Amino acid sequence: MARPLADYVKLPGLEEYKEWFKDFADLKREDGILQVTWKTLDGPMHHSGMSHRAIPQLVRVLSLDTENEIIIFTHIGDNWMIESDANGWETYSQLPKQRFQHQYFDDTNLIKNMIFDLDVPTIGVMPGPGFHWDSAFLSDVTIVTEDTKIEVPHAQGGLVPGDGMGLMMQHYLGTKRGAYYMMTSRQITAQQILDAGMVSEVVAKGKGLERAWEIARMWKRMPYENRCIMSYLAKRPLKKLLVDDLKLHTVSEQYASLLRVAAGTLGDENSEQQDEKYISRVNDYRYATTDMEQPMTLELWAGMAKRAAEWFKKVESGEIPNPYEYEHSNEPDWYKF
Protein backbone atom coordinates (compact mmCIF):
# COMPACT_ATOMS: atom_id res chain seq x y z
CA MET A 1 0.00 0.00 0.00
CA ALA A 2 1.33 3.43 -0.90
CA ARG A 3 2.12 5.78 1.97
CA PRO A 4 -0.08 8.87 2.48
CA LEU A 5 1.56 12.27 2.25
CA ALA A 6 1.01 12.88 5.97
CA ASP A 7 0.32 10.48 8.82
CA TYR A 8 -2.27 10.76 11.60
CA VAL A 9 -1.50 13.41 14.21
CA LYS A 10 -0.02 11.84 17.33
CA LEU A 11 -2.18 12.75 20.34
CA PRO A 12 -1.38 12.09 24.01
CA GLY A 13 -2.18 8.64 25.36
CA LEU A 14 -3.62 7.69 28.73
CA GLU A 15 -0.29 7.46 30.53
CA GLU A 16 0.64 10.98 29.42
CA TYR A 17 -2.57 12.84 30.20
CA LYS A 18 -3.07 10.79 33.35
CA GLU A 19 0.01 12.61 34.65
CA TRP A 20 -1.31 16.00 33.48
CA PHE A 21 -4.46 15.68 35.59
CA LYS A 22 -3.08 13.70 38.55
CA ASP A 23 -4.02 16.44 41.06
CA PHE A 24 -7.68 16.33 40.06
CA ALA A 25 -8.52 12.81 38.87
CA ASP A 26 -7.42 9.20 39.08
CA LEU A 27 -7.72 7.44 35.72
CA LYS A 28 -7.76 3.71 35.11
CA ARG A 29 -8.79 1.81 32.00
CA GLU A 30 -9.63 -1.84 31.44
CA ASP A 31 -10.85 -3.33 28.17
CA GLY A 32 -11.67 0.13 26.80
CA ILE A 33 -13.67 1.12 29.90
CA LEU A 34 -12.18 4.22 31.54
CA GLN A 35 -12.96 5.15 35.16
CA VAL A 36 -12.51 8.82 36.06
CA THR A 37 -12.41 9.41 39.83
CA TRP A 38 -12.56 13.09 40.74
CA LYS A 39 -10.37 14.21 43.66
CA THR A 40 -7.97 16.92 44.85
CA LEU A 41 -4.48 15.56 45.47
CA ASP A 42 -5.03 12.40 47.55
CA GLY A 43 -8.39 13.37 49.05
CA PRO A 44 -11.89 14.49 48.07
CA MET A 45 -12.24 17.15 45.39
CA HIS A 46 -12.26 20.71 46.72
CA HIS A 47 -14.19 23.19 44.61
CA SER A 48 -11.83 25.84 43.19
CA GLY A 49 -11.07 27.80 40.06
CA MET A 50 -8.46 25.16 39.29
CA SER A 51 -10.74 22.13 39.66
CA HIS A 52 -13.51 24.02 37.88
CA ARG A 53 -11.23 24.34 34.85
CA ALA A 54 -9.60 20.91 35.08
CA ILE A 55 -12.92 19.05 34.78
CA PRO A 56 -13.87 20.34 31.29
CA GLN A 57 -10.22 20.22 30.18
CA LEU A 58 -9.97 16.53 31.06
CA VAL A 59 -13.30 15.71 29.41
CA ARG A 60 -12.07 17.33 26.20
CA VAL A 61 -8.81 15.36 26.30
CA LEU A 62 -10.70 12.13 26.95
CA SER A 63 -12.78 12.75 23.85
CA LEU A 64 -9.62 12.75 21.68
CA ASP A 65 -8.51 9.28 22.83
CA THR A 66 -10.24 6.63 20.74
CA GLU A 67 -9.12 3.96 23.23
CA ASN A 68 -11.77 5.30 25.64
CA GLU A 69 -14.81 3.32 24.50
CA ILE A 70 -16.96 3.74 27.64
CA ILE A 71 -16.37 6.27 30.43
CA ILE A 72 -17.43 6.07 34.09
CA PHE A 73 -17.34 9.28 36.16
CA THR A 74 -17.29 9.08 39.96
CA HIS A 75 -15.78 10.74 43.05
CA ILE A 76 -13.19 9.50 45.51
CA GLY A 77 -14.50 8.21 48.85
CA ASP A 78 -18.12 7.76 49.87
CA ASN A 79 -19.61 11.10 48.83
CA TRP A 80 -19.49 13.62 45.99
CA MET A 81 -17.68 16.97 46.18
CA ILE A 82 -18.60 18.93 49.32
CA GLU A 83 -15.69 21.23 50.15
CA SER A 84 -14.17 24.37 48.67
CA ASP A 85 -10.46 25.19 48.52
CA ALA A 86 -10.22 28.35 50.59
CA ASN A 87 -7.19 29.54 48.59
CA GLY A 88 -8.39 28.37 45.18
CA TRP A 89 -10.38 31.39 44.05
CA GLU A 90 -7.85 34.20 43.66
CA THR A 91 -7.57 34.06 39.86
CA TYR A 92 -11.35 33.62 39.70
CA SER A 93 -11.72 37.03 41.32
CA GLN A 94 -9.36 38.93 39.01
CA LEU A 95 -11.12 41.33 36.65
CA PRO A 96 -11.63 41.48 33.79
CA LYS A 97 -9.85 38.72 31.84
CA GLN A 98 -9.43 35.96 34.46
CA ARG A 99 -12.98 36.30 35.79
CA PHE A 100 -14.30 36.33 32.24
CA GLN A 101 -12.40 33.17 31.30
CA HIS A 102 -13.44 31.33 34.46
CA GLN A 103 -17.10 32.26 34.20
CA TYR A 104 -17.80 32.72 30.49
CA PHE A 105 -15.73 29.74 29.29
CA ASP A 106 -15.22 27.35 32.22
CA ASP A 107 -18.77 27.54 33.60
CA THR A 108 -20.20 26.67 30.20
CA ASN A 109 -17.59 24.08 29.21
CA LEU A 110 -18.09 22.18 32.47
CA ILE A 111 -21.58 21.32 31.21
CA LYS A 112 -21.20 21.49 27.45
CA ASN A 113 -18.16 19.25 27.07
CA MET A 114 -19.90 16.32 28.78
CA ILE A 115 -22.59 16.31 26.09
CA PHE A 116 -20.96 17.65 22.93
CA ASP A 117 -17.40 16.30 23.22
CA LEU A 118 -17.99 12.72 24.33
CA ASP A 119 -19.20 10.43 21.55
CA VAL A 120 -19.10 7.25 23.64
CA PRO A 121 -21.46 5.91 26.35
CA THR A 122 -21.01 7.43 29.81
CA ILE A 123 -22.05 6.40 33.31
CA GLY A 124 -22.10 8.74 36.31
CA VAL A 125 -21.82 7.30 39.82
CA MET A 126 -22.55 9.40 42.92
CA PRO A 127 -21.24 7.47 45.94
CA GLY A 128 -23.07 9.79 48.35
CA PRO A 129 -24.31 13.35 48.84
CA GLY A 130 -22.63 16.43 47.40
CA PHE A 131 -22.91 19.44 45.10
CA HIS A 132 -21.75 20.23 41.56
CA TRP A 133 -23.07 16.86 40.52
CA ASP A 134 -22.77 17.88 36.84
CA SER A 135 -20.67 15.07 35.35
CA ALA A 136 -22.67 12.39 37.17
CA PHE A 137 -26.05 13.71 36.04
CA LEU A 138 -24.96 14.59 32.50
CA SER A 139 -23.89 11.01 31.84
CA ASP A 140 -26.09 8.74 29.74
CA VAL A 141 -26.83 6.59 32.81
CA THR A 142 -26.68 7.93 36.37
CA ILE A 143 -26.37 5.70 39.44
CA VAL A 144 -26.63 7.04 42.99
CA THR A 145 -26.37 5.40 46.38
CA GLU A 146 -29.28 5.33 48.79
CA ASP A 147 -27.85 8.13 50.97
CA THR A 148 -27.33 10.53 48.07
CA LYS A 149 -29.02 13.91 48.19
CA ILE A 150 -28.50 16.91 45.96
CA GLU A 151 -29.45 20.56 45.84
CA VAL A 152 -28.96 23.79 43.93
CA PRO A 153 -27.51 25.82 46.82
CA HIS A 154 -26.95 29.14 45.05
CA ALA A 155 -30.07 31.08 45.99
CA GLN A 156 -29.57 30.64 49.71
CA GLY A 157 -26.08 32.08 49.28
CA GLY A 158 -27.44 35.05 47.37
CA LEU A 159 -26.31 33.81 43.95
CA VAL A 160 -28.29 33.29 40.77
CA PRO A 161 -28.46 29.49 40.14
CA GLY A 162 -27.20 29.65 36.57
CA ASP A 163 -24.36 27.13 36.43
CA GLY A 164 -26.38 24.32 34.87
CA MET A 165 -27.70 22.55 37.96
CA GLY A 166 -30.83 24.71 38.03
CA LEU A 167 -31.29 24.11 34.31
CA MET A 168 -31.12 20.35 34.86
CA MET A 169 -33.61 20.58 37.73
CA GLN A 170 -36.08 22.33 35.42
CA HIS A 171 -35.45 19.82 32.64
CA TYR A 172 -35.83 16.66 34.72
CA LEU A 173 -38.35 17.74 37.37
CA GLY A 174 -40.56 19.92 35.19
CA THR A 175 -40.95 23.69 35.13
CA LYS A 176 -42.73 24.25 38.45
CA ARG A 177 -41.09 21.61 40.57
CA GLY A 178 -37.67 22.32 39.05
CA ALA A 179 -38.03 26.05 39.63
CA TYR A 180 -39.07 25.39 43.24
CA TYR A 181 -35.94 23.37 44.06
CA MET A 182 -33.77 25.81 42.12
CA MET A 183 -35.18 28.86 43.90
CA THR A 184 -35.41 27.51 47.47
CA SER A 185 -32.16 25.47 47.75
CA ARG A 186 -34.13 22.58 49.24
CA GLN A 187 -32.38 19.21 49.10
CA ILE A 188 -33.88 16.29 47.23
CA THR A 189 -33.14 12.69 48.25
CA ALA A 190 -32.11 9.66 46.20
CA GLN A 191 -35.56 8.07 46.10
CA GLN A 192 -37.17 11.38 45.15
CA ILE A 193 -34.79 11.98 42.25
CA LEU A 194 -35.32 8.41 41.08
CA ASP A 195 -39.10 8.82 41.20
CA ALA A 196 -38.76 12.07 39.24
CA GLY A 197 -36.75 10.37 36.49
CA MET A 198 -33.59 12.32 37.22
CA VAL A 199 -31.38 9.25 37.82
CA SER A 200 -31.33 5.72 36.45
CA GLU A 201 -30.85 3.56 39.55
CA VAL A 202 -30.48 3.82 43.32
CA VAL A 203 -28.18 1.17 44.81
CA ALA A 204 -26.94 0.24 48.27
CA LYS A 205 -24.13 2.24 49.83
CA GLY A 206 -20.78 1.26 48.38
CA LYS A 207 -22.28 -0.56 45.38
CA GLY A 208 -22.38 2.25 42.80
CA LEU A 209 -19.11 1.55 41.01
CA GLU A 210 -19.71 -2.20 41.01
CA ARG A 211 -23.02 -1.62 39.25
CA ALA A 212 -21.49 0.87 36.78
CA TRP A 213 -18.80 -1.61 35.72
CA GLU A 214 -21.43 -4.30 35.27
CA ILE A 215 -23.41 -2.05 32.91
CA ALA A 216 -20.24 -1.02 31.07
CA ARG A 217 -19.22 -4.64 30.52
CA MET A 218 -22.74 -5.38 29.35
CA TRP A 219 -22.45 -2.60 26.74
CA LYS A 220 -19.10 -4.02 25.63
CA ARG A 221 -20.99 -7.01 24.25
CA MET A 222 -22.58 -4.68 21.70
CA PRO A 223 -20.78 -3.66 18.51
CA TYR A 224 -18.65 -0.56 19.11
CA GLU A 225 -20.43 1.44 16.41
CA ASN A 226 -23.88 0.57 17.74
CA ARG A 227 -23.19 1.60 21.31
CA CYS A 228 -21.74 4.94 20.13
CA ILE A 229 -24.85 5.61 18.06
CA MET A 230 -26.98 4.58 21.04
CA SER A 231 -25.10 7.12 23.17
CA TYR A 232 -25.78 9.85 20.60
CA LEU A 233 -29.51 9.19 20.92
CA ALA A 234 -29.24 9.31 24.73
CA LYS A 235 -27.49 12.70 24.60
CA ARG A 236 -29.67 14.31 21.92
CA PRO A 237 -32.39 15.75 24.23
CA LEU A 238 -29.70 17.38 26.40
CA LYS A 239 -27.91 18.76 23.35
CA LYS A 240 -31.10 20.54 22.32
CA LEU A 241 -31.59 21.83 25.87
CA LEU A 242 -28.05 23.18 26.15
CA VAL A 243 -28.14 24.87 22.75
CA ASP A 244 -31.33 26.68 23.74
CA ASP A 245 -30.64 27.64 27.34
CA LEU A 246 -27.17 26.91 28.77
CA LYS A 247 -25.41 30.16 27.86
CA LEU A 248 -28.40 32.19 29.04
CA HIS A 249 -28.19 30.50 32.44
CA THR A 250 -24.42 30.84 32.84
CA VAL A 251 -24.29 34.46 31.69
CA SER A 252 -27.18 35.35 34.00
CA GLU A 253 -25.24 34.05 37.00
CA GLN A 254 -22.10 35.85 35.87
CA TYR A 255 -23.88 39.16 35.36
CA ALA A 256 -25.55 39.00 38.76
CA SER A 257 -22.25 38.12 40.46
CA LEU A 258 -20.46 41.04 38.83
CA LEU A 259 -23.16 43.37 40.12
CA ARG A 260 -22.40 42.21 43.64
CA VAL A 261 -18.66 42.57 43.08
CA ALA A 262 -19.24 46.13 41.87
CA ALA A 263 -21.50 46.87 44.84
CA GLY A 264 -18.94 45.46 47.28
CA THR A 265 -21.40 42.99 48.82
CA LEU A 266 -19.61 39.75 47.90
CA GLY A 267 -18.22 38.10 51.03
CA ASP A 268 -18.83 35.43 53.66
CA GLU A 269 -22.16 33.73 54.42
CA ASN A 270 -23.43 36.86 56.19
CA SER A 271 -23.04 39.01 53.05
CA GLU A 272 -25.66 39.66 50.37
CA GLN A 273 -23.87 37.16 48.16
CA GLN A 274 -21.56 34.46 49.49
CA ASP A 275 -18.12 34.12 47.92
CA GLU A 276 -17.57 30.51 46.82
CA LYS A 277 -14.39 30.27 48.92
CA TYR A 278 -16.56 30.20 52.06
CA ILE A 279 -18.93 27.37 51.18
CA SER A 280 -17.04 24.70 53.16
CA ARG A 281 -18.18 26.45 56.33
CA VAL A 282 -21.73 25.27 55.86
CA ASN A 283 -21.60 22.32 53.47
CA ASP A 284 -20.62 19.65 56.01
CA TYR A 285 -23.59 20.70 58.10
CA ARG A 286 -25.93 20.78 55.08
CA TYR A 287 -25.12 17.21 54.09
CA ALA A 288 -24.64 15.69 57.56
CA THR A 289 -28.09 16.81 58.77
CA THR A 290 -31.61 16.58 57.35
CA ASP A 291 -32.43 20.26 57.92
CA MET A 292 -32.30 21.14 54.21
CA GLU A 293 -34.55 18.26 53.11
CA GLN A 294 -37.71 19.94 54.38
CA PRO A 295 -39.54 22.88 52.79
CA MET A 296 -37.56 26.06 53.38
CA THR A 297 -38.87 28.67 55.83
CA LEU A 298 -37.54 32.12 56.62
CA GLU A 299 -36.07 30.76 59.86
CA LEU A 300 -34.31 27.86 58.11
CA TRP A 301 -33.07 30.07 55.26
CA ALA A 302 -31.76 32.95 57.35
CA GLY A 303 -30.41 30.90 60.25
CA MET A 304 -28.43 28.30 58.34
CA ALA A 305 -24.99 29.82 58.96
CA LYS A 306 -25.66 30.16 62.69
CA ARG A 307 -26.92 26.58 62.97
CA ALA A 308 -23.87 25.37 61.04
CA ALA A 309 -21.60 27.18 63.52
CA GLU A 310 -23.42 25.58 66.44
CA TRP A 311 -23.16 22.19 64.76
CA PHE A 312 -19.41 22.63 64.31
CA LYS A 313 -18.98 23.48 67.99
CA LYS A 314 -20.58 20.15 68.86
CA VAL A 315 -18.27 18.40 66.41
CA GLU A 316 -15.21 20.07 67.92
CA SER A 317 -16.27 19.12 71.44
CA GLY A 318 -16.71 15.50 70.40
CA GLU A 319 -20.45 15.56 71.09
CA ILE A 320 -21.31 14.52 67.52
CA PRO A 321 -19.20 13.12 64.64
CA ASN A 322 -18.49 14.93 61.38
CA PRO A 323 -18.61 12.40 58.53
CA TYR A 324 -16.67 14.80 56.30
CA GLU A 325 -13.96 15.79 58.77
CA TYR A 326 -11.08 14.65 56.56
CA GLU A 327 -12.03 17.15 53.90
CA HIS A 328 -10.98 20.10 56.06
CA SER A 329 -7.36 18.99 56.03
CA ASN A 330 -6.12 21.73 53.71
CA GLU A 331 -7.97 24.68 55.24
CA PRO A 332 -5.89 27.53 56.69
CA ASP A 333 -6.33 28.54 60.32
CA TRP A 334 -8.45 31.57 59.48
CA TYR A 335 -10.97 29.38 57.69
CA LYS A 336 -12.82 28.34 60.83
CA PHE A 337 -15.85 29.43 62.80
Side-chain angles (χ1 to χ4, degrees):
M1 179 183 290
R3 288 182 58 83
L5 292 174
D7 205 347
Y8 291 104
V9 175
K10 180 174 173 51
L11 295 173
L14 175 61
E15 292 308 311
E16 186 173 357
Y17 61 76
K18 181 179 182 179
E19 183 68 16
W20 295 356
F21 292 95
K22 64 181 181 180
D23 289 344
F24 300 102
D26 284 330
L27 306 177
K28 73 171 185 178
R29 187 169 61 205
E30 178 184 308
D31 191 27
I33 303 168
L34 179 76
Q35 179 180 309
V36 178
T37 304
W38 298 120
K39 62 170 191 171
T40 296
L41 302 179
D42 295 323
M45 178 168 271
H46 283 60
H47 192 36
S48 68
M50 298 79 189
S51 67
H52 208 244
R53 179 166 293 173
I55 292 172
Q57 286 175 329
L58 176 55
V59 169
R60 183 157 289 167
V61 170
L62 296 181
S63 73
L64 301 174
D65 187 349
T66 55
E67 297 299 312
N68 297 326
E69 298 184 24
I70 297 170
I71 304 176
I72 298 170
F73 293 96
T74 191
H75 188 285
I76 195 171
D78 60 0
N79 57 270
W80 199 256
M81 179 168 56
I82 288 179
E83 306 300 333
S84 178
D85 182 347
N87 298 312
W89 297 96
E90 297 312 309
T91 57
Y92 203 91
S93 301
Q94 293 174 9
L95 296 173
K97 185 177 180 180
Q98 290 277 17
R99 183 90 183 200
F100 174 77
Q101 289 177 336
H102 277 295
Q103 290 202 300
Y104 195 79
F105 296 138
D106 295 348
D107 281 15
T108 304
N109 289 338
L110 191 71
I111 307 293
K112 175 178 68 66
N113 292 4
M114 283 291 303
I115 300 300
F116 287 96
D117 283 6
L118 298 178
D119 296 316
V120 298
T122 55
I123 305 172
V125 181
M126 279 193 73
F131 76 103
H132 256 308
W133 27 269
D134 315 89
S135 59
F137 279 70
L138 288 164
S139 296
D140 301 337
V141 167
T142 301
I143 300 168
V144 301
T145 55
E146 55 199 354
D147 64 329
T148 296
K149 52 184 177 180
I150 64 170
E151 63 190 355
V152 186
H154 301 64
Q156 193 167 35
L159 292 82
V160 171
D163 68 348
M165 287 188 285
L167 178 61
M168 283 191 276
M169 283 284 190
Q170 287 182 309
H171 173 72
Y172 288 111
L173 302 186
T175 303
K176 282 294 182 182
R177 188 163 42 159
Y180 166 75
Y181 280 98
M182 178 180 73
M183 297 174 74
T184 66
S185 299
R186 181 181 176 182
Q187 289 178 342
I188 182 169
T189 64
Q191 188 60 48
Q192 290 171 323
I193 54 182
L194 176 67
D195 293 343
M198 199 170 182
V199 299
S200 310
E201 291 184 8
V202 175
V203 299
K205 188 67 175 175
K207 297 295 184 180
L209 273 177
E210 180 182 325
R211 178 60 178 145
W213 275 89
E214 181 177 30
I215 293 173
R217 291 188 176 106
M218 181 177 72
W219 286 342
K220 281 285 292 184
R221 297 178 67 86
M222 295 177 65
Y224 170 78
E225 302 83 0
N226 289 12
R227 62 176 181 262
C228 289
I229 296 170
M230 176 178 72
S231 178
Y232 171 83
L233 294 178
K235 292 177 173 68
R236 187 169 180 268
L238 287 177
K239 287 184 177 181
K240 294 163 68 176
L241 173 71
L242 299 188
V243 166
D244 286 344
D245 290 331
L246 178 60
K247 184 56 77 173
L248 174 63
H249 273 241
T250 56
V251 171
S252 295
E253 180 177 330
Q254 295 151 21
Y255 175 69
S257 294
L258 288 175
L259 288 176
R260 300 277 55 82
V261 171
T265 57
L266 179 69
D268 64 20
E269 64 274 6
N270 297 307
S271 303
E272 283 192 357
Q273 179 175 314
Q274 185 179 353
D275 192 319
E276 300 217 43
K277 72 171 73 172
Y278 294 107
I279 59 178
S280 291
R281 290 184 171 188
V282 296
N283 273 1
D284 284 19
Y285 156 77
R286 293 176 73 100
Y287 291 106
T289 70
T290 59
D291 289 2
M292 313 309 294
E293 295 177 26
Q294 57 190 300
M296 290 294 97
T297 64
L298 176 59
E299 180 182 3
L300 280 171
W301 182 288
M304 185 190 67
K306 181 179 178 181
R307 289 194 308 278
E310 294 171 348
W311 181 82
F312 264 103
K313 287 179 181 177
K314 293 180 180 179
V315 168
E316 291 173 346
S317 68
E319 185 178 343
I320 58 174
N322 177 6
Y324 313 114
E325 185 174 10
Y326 173 78
E327 303 186 12
H328 290 277
S329 59
N330 79 335
E331 291 180 355
D333 291 339
W334 60 264
Y335 196 64
K336 304 292 181 185
F337 281 104

